[in-house]
Amino acid sequence: MDSHSVPAGLVLQLIDLVTRWDVTSAALLEGTGVAVDSLADEETRVPLGVYLAIVARARDLTAEPGLGFCMGLHARVSAYGHLGFAAMSAATLREALDLAIRFSPMTTTALGLRLRIEGRDASLIVEEDADYGNVRDVVVIARLSGLWKMAYALTGRNPNGTAEMAFEQPAYHARFAHLVPPARYDQPTNRIILKVEALEFPLIMADPVALSLALEQCEKALESFGSADRFVHTVRKLLWKADG
């Protein structure tokens, strides 16, 4: 787990979210060894184990078992720095997803992304490459609902679709069912299933010049990852091309 990390922006996003329950950043980060000032640097990475401890603490302090849905619905593309800027500047939803997959280690190497096309359906598969312990449901639900929310925000159109998750349906699901796509649990994989036409939805903020500038920064950031991370990323990219 120590080899995995997440961008500081995800912690900042969580800090912003828990203020709705009057939880301060100091309370959330207490005992984690993370200084809130250090999170302002876009280059800062938080070890996965520390991030999971912060997520668990957020769930305890807010007393909200469905925190994963809250995190997903609160998701902002800007939390992903240069990658988020690149995704916002892409021409279509497919191009934005291609970028998310290509530069997935910038988000985390602990959750892989893969796009699979089967007839008229497109599946965005989220692969678990780490043990998330007792916050697994929070992390996976936040990822899936966040991807759906950001697709909606980027295109200004509801991508519709359904979600599938590889664990039992939590008791809190019914409270959030009206806010997210229909979901099925106890499935073989974690994924969002869309109609393939949704991939061609144009993005509201498409900008080829901005995209080019952001891609330069993404390439530099990807190069900063260790050789092992790059090897895993390359293998995932080859598998994704084979599926597509």
Side-chain angles (χ1 to χ4, degrees):
M1 183 179 293
D2 290 341
S3 64
H4 300 298
S5 63
V6 302
L10 293 187
V11 180
L12 288 173
Q13 194 165 256
L14 184 55
I15 288 173
D16 182 58
L17 173 64
V18 298
T19 59
R20 298 182 182 184
W21 290 269
D22 296 323
V23 176
T24 66
S25 59
L28 181 63
L29 299 178
E30 183 180 352
T32 65
V34 175
V36 68
D37 291 345
S38 69
L39 300 174
D41 185 348
E42 188 177 318
E43 302 300 319
T44 299
R45 306 285 300 183
V46 177
L48 180 64
V50 175
Y51 176 67
L52 296 182
I54 294 172
V55 170
R57 186 164 175 78
R59 185 170 60 181
D60 290 342
L61 291 174
T62 62
E64 174 51 76
L67 185 67
F69 282 116
C70 299
M71 290 169 64
L73 293 169
H74 189 68
R76 301 290 184 272
V77 182
S78 57
Y80 298 95
H82 292 303
L83 176 55
F85 187 41
M88 285 189 287
S89 305
T92 64
L93 182 58
R94 180 193 289 269
E95 187 175 357
L97 291 176
D98 285 350
L99 292 170
I101 294 167
R102 177 180 172 188
F103 295 105
S104 60
M106 293 177 62
T107 305
T108 180
T109 54
L111 278 177
L113 279 179
R114 188 156 51 92
L115 183 64
R116 185 168 67 202
I117 307 297
E118 298 174 298
R120 299 294 299 277
D121 291 330
S123 295
L124 185 61
I125 300 168
V126 173
E127 299 170 321
E128 300 176 64
D129 294 330
D131 181 0
Y132 296 97
N134 65 355
V135 292
R136 180 192 181 199
D137 61 317
V138 178
V139 172
V140 174
I141 288 174
R143 183 70 155 172
L144 289 174
S145 55
L147 287 167
W148 173 81
K149 168 69 184 308
M150 288 186 285
Y152 202 150
L154 289 173
T155 63
R157 300 171 64 178
N158 188 343
N160 294 312
T162 58
E164 293 185 348
M165 282 162 270
F167 48 84
E168 292 183 1
Q169 179 171 320
Y172 56 76
H173 171 81
R175 292 172 44 222
F176 297 91
H178 66 292
L179 299 173
V180 294
R184 294 189 291 267
Y185 293 86
D186 283 323
Q187 300 301 308
T189 58
N190 303 305
R191 62 177 181 166
I192 298 173
I193 307 170
L194 306 171
K195 290 302 179 185
V196 74
E197 306 91 75
L199 298 179
E200 306 311 319
F201 285 176
L203 266 57
I204 296 171
M205 298 179 64
D207 184 333
V209 175
L211 175 59
S212 179
L213 293 172
L215 282 176
E216 288 183 21
Q217 297 302 317
C218 288
E219 291 286 2
K220 291 178 182 178
L222 194 61
E223 289 175 4
S224 71
F225 285 85
S227 59
D229 287 339
R230 288 201 298 271
F231 173 75
V232 171
H233 166 67
T234 300
V235 171
R236 283 207 186 108
K237 188 175 179 183
L238 291 172
L239 290 173
W240 160 63
K241 285 184 176 179
D243 281 345

